[in-house]
Amino acid sequence: MEIFNQLVVRSVVGCTSTVLQIYAVDRLNLADASVIVFSSPVFVTLTAHCFLGEKAGWATFLIAILTFLGVVVISRPPILTGQSEMDANALEGVLFALGSMILATVVIVILRFLRDVHYTVVTLSYGIMGSLECVCLAAYAGVLGLPHGTHEWILASGLVLFTFLGQTFLILALKFEQAGPVALLQSTDVIFSFIFQYAFLGVSPDGYSLVGAAIVILGVTLTTLRKWVVTLPAVDVQNNNFNICFKFLR
């Protein structure tokens, strides 16, 4: 029964995270929304420390604060832009993206609990529960219906296929690796978001997007370095020329 409950929670939370991400992209450009959503490695490390017993030092909390500052820059608050008030549409997009990121963090932690369950069972439960949730949400919003025309059917089919493959690979990855490194690798989506946004949508990032993304990437990079440092034998850390930095990261 415990596994069943975890599968249900994982499915509902995962689907809700995806829905919030879609709403975020609707209000922010693709790159900004992706930077916020995929800043999750930092927060996954904190959550995994609390619920999975994975190592986390006080440096992790400082890195989380740094990453959050990057999110603040992307949100373009009036104190940075000089405007009298914050753009309501951008604020909604940031909140949706943050909600998606938090729920995505929860999903990764739950999947670590489910690593002994066959990935087909986890994927099937996600597909069934996620579909039911989406149908209910679409019916409530009054937009329930089938795609119109060949173009929409191709896009919808592609979305289903790549979402299925992405979820399958995520589940398999979490069977063999800790939650932090897996979330870190996911965050490389940020780079592709900037590339695809420019290549297919013709949208160039502004200064706020670049600075915010740089801060978030720095936070994720420090998280990566820390995950590497904590795996080193203590003697290696003590004999390293960068002893102070290594101690900080541990």
Side-chain angles (χ1 to χ4, degrees):
M1 181 59 70
E2 181 180 357
I3 292 179
F4 175 78
N5 292 335
Q6 290 175 350
L7 287 171
V8 172
V9 173
R10 177 265 181 272
S11 301
V12 173
V13 172
C15 180
T16 305
S17 175
T18 302
V19 171
L20 291 179
Q21 184 178 358
I22 293 173
Y23 275 108
V25 172
D26 183 56
R27 288 161 174 77
L28 297 173
N29 63 55
L30 176 62
D32 286 351
S34 297
V35 169
I36 297 174
V37 171
F38 292 106
S39 63
S40 61
V42 177
F43 303 99
V44 165
T45 302
L46 292 175
T47 309
H49 170 69
C50 297
F51 296 100
L52 299 178
E54 296 183 8
K55 293 182 179 180
W58 61 272
T60 304
F61 295 92
L62 296 180
I63 295 173
I65 294 174
L66 174 66
T67 305
F68 186 74
L69 288 177
V71 174
V72 171
V73 173
I74 291 175
S75 66
R76 299 168 175 79
I79 193 174
L80 294 180
T81 62
Q83 298 177 351
S84 58
E85 60 182 18
M86 188 171 180
D87 180 76
N89 203 48
L91 178 59
E92 289 181 1
V94 170
L95 293 177
F96 282 131
L98 283 173
S100 177
M101 181 270 293
I102 293 172
L103 294 181
T105 299
V106 175
V107 166
I108 291 179
V109 173
I110 294 176
L111 285 175
R112 283 291 290 172
F113 281 110
L114 294 171
R115 60 183 178 273
D116 294 329
V117 179
H118 198 275
Y119 74 92
T120 55
V121 176
V122 180
T123 305
L124 178 63
S125 65
Y126 175 73
I128 295 174
M129 296 298 299
S131 297
L132 290 175
E133 180 179 348
C134 287
V135 168
C136 293
L137 290 174
Y140 176 78
V143 294
L144 182 62
L146 296 175
H148 301 287
T150 304
H151 180 68
E152 289 191 5
W153 273 106
I154 292 175
L155 292 177
S157 300
L159 179 62
V160 171
L161 174 62
F162 289 116
T163 299
F164 170 77
L165 292 176
Q167 289 295 319
T168 299
F169 290 138
L170 173 63
I171 294 167
L172 290 174
L174 287 167
K175 284 181 176 293
F176 303 103
E177 183 53 89
Q178 292 186 344
V182 173
L184 173 66
L185 189 58
Q186 272 194 304
S187 67
T188 57
D189 282 10
V190 172
I191 300 174
F192 292 103
S193 295
F194 276 103
I195 295 174
F196 292 160
Q197 175 180 268
Y198 180 77
F200 297 105
L201 303 178
V203 178
S204 300
D206 60 13
Y208 296 107
S209 295
L210 292 176
V211 172
I215 295 174
V216 171
I217 291 174
L218 174 61
V220 173
T221 302
L222 289 174
T223 301
T224 308
L225 182 59
R226 183 193 165 277
K227 296 297 291 187
W228 171 64
V229 169
V230 297
T231 62
L232 293 176
V235 64
D236 290 346
V237 177
Q238 294 170 0
N239 294 333
N240 195 283
N241 293 328
F242 301 99
N243 190 29
I244 296 178
C245 295
F246 276 81
K247 283 185 177 180
F248 167 78
L249 289 172
R250 290 177 77 91

